[in-house]
Amino acid sequence: MQKHMNFKEVGAYSLGLFGFQAIVGFLNSYQAEFYHAQMAADLAVVGILILIVKVVSAIFDPVVGNMIERKSSPKGKLKPFIAYSIVPLLVMTVVLFIKVPFTGIGLYAYIFITFLLWSMAMTLGDVPSQGIASVLTPNPDERTNVISIANTLKQIGFSAAAVIVPVVCIIIPGGSKVFGIEEGAKDNPISSAEYLATAIVVGVLGCLLFSLIYFVNKERVPYSAEKMSFGEMFKALKANKPLMLVIVSYFLGAGRQMAMAIQVQASNVLLGSENYVIALGITTAVGSMISMAITPALIKKFGEKNTFIGMSIYGFAISMVAFAVYAFITTNMVVMLVMLFLTGLQFGAVTLMPMIMVADCVDNYEYETGKRVEGPAFSILTLTIKVCLAIGAALGLILIQVSGYDASASIENIASSTKNIVYFAYVGAPGIFSLLAAIPMFKYDIVGEKKAKITAELQKRRANV
């Protein structure tokens, strides 16, 4: 089948997702700790607030999806929304890491409002950047490869904060003095000035890279703008049964990414300092990258359904082994990092494949009805991802609170029970959720001959237009 995308376009889409996810990953890893360490916010309350904001802001996802379906522009129906999102996303990313003199209810109200505004700006870019994958090329094999490459960079971007934050702190030694803020007391923790400097660096670089999608990529699959009511939109989503299986699977696996939300706290407890978070981040990220790199080959040999189920079962098994080794055999750091690398191998496929499957579900719906619904389909996916990340973050932060976590405690004074609970939240619990996510996939059927038939028929229809 004909290839449509050149190296420049693949690179632009991949770097765009890298930049966008660098911002998302930075917040996911450091936001709660910033509020806790710099403004004395309760971690459990912050976790619940994050969950509430994600659920509330998720209402905006189908709104954006509906707007996308109505949009008619020479640039396409998805790219304009990427352009609209860049400035508000940059501004709110910086605002979230400004230390404010609020306490109590005022502090939590400020956290809620600013994070809600950031979440809406993020949604404005997230829905079209996910959905555009289905229209970059009409060739499903090329699409799978492009999504694989782009999501490998996306996963690296999601973990990039673990590298960027320490680098920024090294570049501006004594950064807190430069900004006129006093240093912390324990092991040179990240200061509020360093948090702000990192937010500016991540926000600017992330948005610049994200803009490449707008300026370089092309939408190649034909479409027609269509005014669709919200009732009609949700009816179309409900009628797309394979899409609903993907969504249910994602919800059942809500805690798979729990580790990202508690990475800083885990670094404090397991390694003795938040400054060592880079070791945790890189170890798992390398496993995820390898997983995503080999996923297209696994799909070609076993199909999407079997690959997803197999990786989910592997994720459960290796996570249980990793936790048992740490809790009952050895807490040796080298052994722990090796096990984290092995657990990371599960995340690439299960992170990548929902995008591939949703794109296939859009093709399947066009095959059955003659209508393409990238906006609604990918908005329900992004809504699901946000809510599930929030659920995972809330569960993780609650477990951290239950463990007796104390950001100021040295590693020698941390109880073994605290370490075990934190490690379970970081490794064990995500494995259980991974197994749950596999259950709906046993009924997913857009694979093999059916997928080939859909592709051939859509090509014939487009050729006759």
Side-chain angles (χ1 to χ4, degrees), residues 201-237:
V201 170
V202 173
V204 171
L205 291 179
C207 286
L208 285 174
L209 290 174
F210 188 46
S211 68
L212 291 176
I213 299 177
Y214 175 79
F215 289 111
V216 177
N217 289 116
K218 300 176 182 178
E219 297 182 24
R220 291 185 171 87
V221 175
Y223 78 96
S224 58
E226 181 176 345
K227 291 185 178 181
M228 181 183 292
S229 70
F230 283 101
E232 292 170 333
M233 186 175 77
F234 286 113
K235 184 178 179 181
L237 291 172

Coordinates of all heavy atoms in Angstrom, one line a residue, residues 201-237:
V201 N 10.9 26.6 31.4 CA 11.6 25.9 30.4 C 10.8 24.8 29.7 O 10.7 24.7 28.5 CB 12.9 25.2 31.1 CG1 13.5 24.2 30.1 CG2 13.9 26.3 31.5
V202 N 10.1 24.0 30.6 CA 9.2 22.9 30.0 C 8.1 23.5 29.2 O 7.8 23.0 28.1 CB 8.7 22.0 31.1 CG1 7.7 21.0 30.6 CG2 9.8 21.3 31.8
G203 N 7.5 24.6 29.7 CA 6.4 25.2 29.0 C 6.7 25.7 27.6 O 6.1 25.5 26.6
V204 N 7.8 26.5 27.6 CA 8.3 27.1 26.3 C 8.7 26.1 25.3 O 8.3 26.0 24.1 CB 9.4 28.1 26.6 CG1 10.0 28.6 25.2 CG2 8.9 29.3 27.4
L205 N 9.6 25.2 25.7 CA 10.1 24.1 24.8 C 9.0 23.2 24.3 O 8.9 22.8 23.2 CB 11.2 23.3 25.4 CG 12.5 24.1 25.7 CD1 13.6 23.2 26.4 CD2 13.1 24.6 24.4
G206 N 8.1 22.8 25.3 CA 7.0 21.9 25.0 C 6.1 22.5 24.0 O 5.7 21.8 23.0
C207 N 5.7 23.8 24.1 CA 4.8 24.4 23.2 C 5.4 24.7 21.8 O 4.7 24.6 20.8 CB 4.3 25.7 23.8 SG 3.1 25.4 25.2
L208 N 6.7 25.0 21.8 CA 7.4 25.2 20.5 C 7.4 23.9 19.7 O 7.1 23.9 18.5 CB 8.8 25.7 20.7 CG 8.9 27.2 21.1 CD1 10.4 27.4 21.5 CD2 8.4 28.1 20.0
L209 N 7.7 22.8 20.4 CA 7.7 21.5 19.7 C 6.2 21.1 19.3 O 6.0 20.6 18.2 CB 8.3 20.4 20.6 CG 9.8 20.5 20.9 CD1 10.2 19.5 21.9 CD2 10.6 20.4 19.6
F210 N 5.3 21.4 20.2 CA 3.9 21.0 19.9 C 3.4 21.7 18.6 O 2.6 21.2 17.8 CB 3.0 21.3 21.1 CG 1.6 20.8 21.0 CD1 1.3 19.6 20.6 CD2 0.6 21.7 21.3 CE1 0.0 19.1 20.5 CE2 -0.7 21.2 21.2 CZ -1.0 19.9 20.8
S211 N 3.8 23.0 18.4 CA 3.4 23.8 17.3 C 3.9 23.2 15.9 O 3.3 23.5 14.9 CB 3.9 25.2 17.4 OG 5.3 25.3 17.3
L212 N 4.9 22.3 16.0 CA 5.3 21.7 14.7 C 4.2 20.9 14.0 O 4.2 20.8 12.8 CB 6.5 20.7 15.0 CG 7.8 21.4 15.4 CD1 8.9 20.3 15.8 CD2 8.4 22.3 14.4
I213 N 3.3 20.3 14.8 CA 2.2 19.5 14.2 C 1.4 20.4 13.3 O 1.0 20.1 12.2 CB 1.4 18.9 15.3 CG1 2.2 17.9 16.1 CG2 0.2 18.1 14.6 CD1 1.4 17.3 17.3
Y214 N 1.1 21.6 13.8 CA 0.3 22.6 13.0 C 1.0 23.0 11.8 O 0.4 23.1 10.7 CB 0.0 23.8 13.9 CG -0.8 24.9 13.2 CD1 -2.1 24.8 12.9 CD2 -0.1 26.0 12.7 CE1 -2.8 25.8 12.2 CE2 -0.7 27.0 12.0 CZ -2.1 26.9 11.8 OH -2.8 27.9 11.1
F215 N 2.3 23.3 11.9 CA 3.0 23.9 10.8 C 3.5 22.9 9.7 O 3.7 23.2 8.6 CB 4.2 24.7 11.3 CG 3.9 26.0 12.0 CD1 4.1 26.1 13.3 CD2 3.3 27.0 11.3 CE1 3.7 27.3 14.0 CE2 3.0 28.2 11.9 CZ 3.2 28.4 13.3
V216 N 3.7 21.6 10.1 CA 4.3 20.7 9.2 C 3.4 19.6 8.7 O 3.4 19.2 7.5 CB 5.5 20.0 9.9 CG1 6.2 18.9 9.0 CG2 6.6 21.1 10.2
N217 N 2.5 19.1 9.6 CA 1.7 17.9 9.2 C 0.5 18.2 8.3 O 0.0 19.4 8.4 CB 1.3 17.1 10.5 CG 2.4 16.4 11.2 OD1 2.7 16.7 12.3 ND2 3.0 15.5 10.5
K218 N 0.0 17.2 7.6 CA -1.1 17.4 6.7 C -2.2 16.4 7.1 O -1.9 15.3 7.5 CB -0.7 17.2 5.2 CG 0.4 18.1 4.7 CD 0.9 17.7 3.3 CE 2.0 18.7 2.8 NZ 2.4 18.3 1.5
E219 N -3.4 16.8 6.9 CA -4.6 15.9 7.1 C -5.0 15.4 5.7 O -5.4 16.1 4.8 CB -5.7 16.7 7.7 CG -5.4 17.2 9.1 CD -6.6 17.9 9.8 OE1 -7.7 17.6 9.4 OE2 -6.4 18.7 10.7
R220 N -4.8 14.1 5.5 CA -5.0 13.5 4.2 C -6.3 12.7 4.0 O -6.7 12.4 2.8 CB -3.8 12.5 3.9 CG -2.5 13.3 3.7 CD -1.4 12.3 3.3 NE -0.2 13.1 2.9 CZ 0.7 13.5 3.7 NH1 0.6 13.2 5.0 NH2 1.8 14.1 3.3
V221 N -7.0 12.3 5.0 CA -8.2 11.5 4.9 C -9.3 12.5 4.7 O -9.5 13.5 5.4 CB -8.5 10.7 6.1 CG1 -9.8 10.0 6.0 CG2 -7.4 9.6 6.3
P222 N -10.1 12.4 3.6 CA -11.2 13.3 3.3 C -12.2 13.4 4.4 O -12.5 12.4 5.1 CB -11.8 12.7 2.0 CG -10.8 11.8 1.5 CD -10.0 11.3 2.6
Y223 N -12.8 14.6 4.6 CA -13.8 14.8 5.6 C -14.8 15.8 5.2 O -14.5 16.6 4.2 CB -13.2 15.2 7.0 CG -12.8 16.6 7.0 CD1 -13.6 17.6 7.6 CD2 -11.6 17.0 6.5 CE1 -13.3 18.9 7.6 CE2 -11.2 18.4 6.5 CZ -12.1 19.3 7.1 OH -11.7 20.6 7.1
S224 N -15.9 15.9 5.8 CA -16.9 17.0 5.6 C -17.3 17.5 6.9 O -17.7 16.7 7.8 CB -18.0 16.5 4.7 OG -18.7 15.5 5.3
A225 N -17.3 18.8 7.1 CA -17.8 19.4 8.3 C -19.3 19.1 8.5 O -20.1 19.1 7.6 CB -17.6 20.9 8.4
E226 N -19.7 18.7 9.7 CA -21.0 18.3 10.0 C -21.5 18.8 11.4 O -20.8 18.5 12.4 CB -21.2 16.8 9.9 CG -22.6 16.3 10.1 CD -22.7 14.8 9.9 OE1 -21.7 14.2 9.4 OE2 -23.7 14.2 10.3
K227 N -22.6 19.5 11.4 CA -23.1 20.0 12.7 C -23.8 18.8 13.4 O -24.8 18.2 12.8 CB -24.1 21.1 12.5 CG -23.4 22.4 12.1 CD -24.4 23.6 12.0 CE -23.7 24.9 11.6 NZ -24.6 26.0 11.5
M228 N -23.3 18.4 14.5 CA -23.8 17.2 15.2 C -24.2 17.6 16.6 O -23.3 18.2 17.3 CB -22.7 16.1 15.2 CG -23.2 14.8 15.9 SD -21.8 13.6 15.9 CE -21.6 13.2 14.2
S229 N -25.4 17.4 17.0 CA -25.8 17.7 18.4 C -25.1 16.8 19.4 O -24.6 15.7 19.0 CB -27.3 17.6 18.6 OG -27.7 16.2 18.5
F230 N -25.0 17.1 20.6 CA -24.4 16.3 21.6 C -25.1 15.0 21.7 O -24.5 13.9 22.0 CB -24.3 17.0 23.0 CG -23.2 18.0 23.0 CD1 -23.5 19.4 22.9 CD2 -21.9 17.6 23.2 CE1 -22.5 20.3 22.9 CE2 -20.9 18.6 23.2 CZ -21.2 19.9 23.1
G231 N -26.4 15.0 21.6 CA -27.2 13.7 21.6 C -26.8 12.8 20.5 O -26.6 11.6 20.7
E232 N -26.7 13.4 19.3 CA -26.3 12.6 18.1 C -24.8 12.1 18.3 O -24.5 11.0 17.9 CB -26.4 13.4 16.9 CG -27.8 13.8 16.5 CD -27.9 14.8 15.4 OE1 -26.9 15.6 15.2 OE2 -28.9 14.8 14.6
M233 N -24.0 12.9 18.9 CA -22.6 12.5 19.1 C -22.5 11.3 20.0 O -21.8 10.4 19.7 CB -21.8 13.7 19.6 CG -20.3 13.5 19.7 SD -19.4 14.9 20.2 CE -19.7 14.9 22.0
F234 N -23.2 11.4 21.1 CA -23.1 10.3 22.1 C -23.8 9.1 21.6 O -23.4 7.9 21.9 CB -23.7 10.7 23.4 CG -22.8 11.7 24.2 CD1 -23.2 13.0 24.4 CD2 -21.6 11.3 24.7 CE1 -22.3 13.9 25.1 CE2 -20.7 12.1 25.4 CZ -21.1 13.4 25.6
K235 N -24.8 9.3 20.8 CA -25.5 8.1 20.1 C -24.5 7.4 19.2 O -24.4 6.2 19.1 CB -26.7 8.6 19.4 CG -27.5 7.4 18.8 CD -28.8 7.9 18.1 CE -29.6 6.8 17.5 NZ -30.8 7.3 16.8
A236 N -23.7 8.2 18.4 CA -22.7 7.6 17.5 C -21.7 6.9 18.3 O -21.2 5.8 17.9 CB -22.1 8.7 16.7
L237 N -21.2 7.4 19.4 CA -20.2 6.8 20.2 C -20.7 5.5 20.8 O -20.0 4.4 20.8 CB -19.7 7.7 21.3 CG -19.0 8.9 20.9 CD1 -18.7 9.9 22.1 CD2 -17.6 8.5 20.3

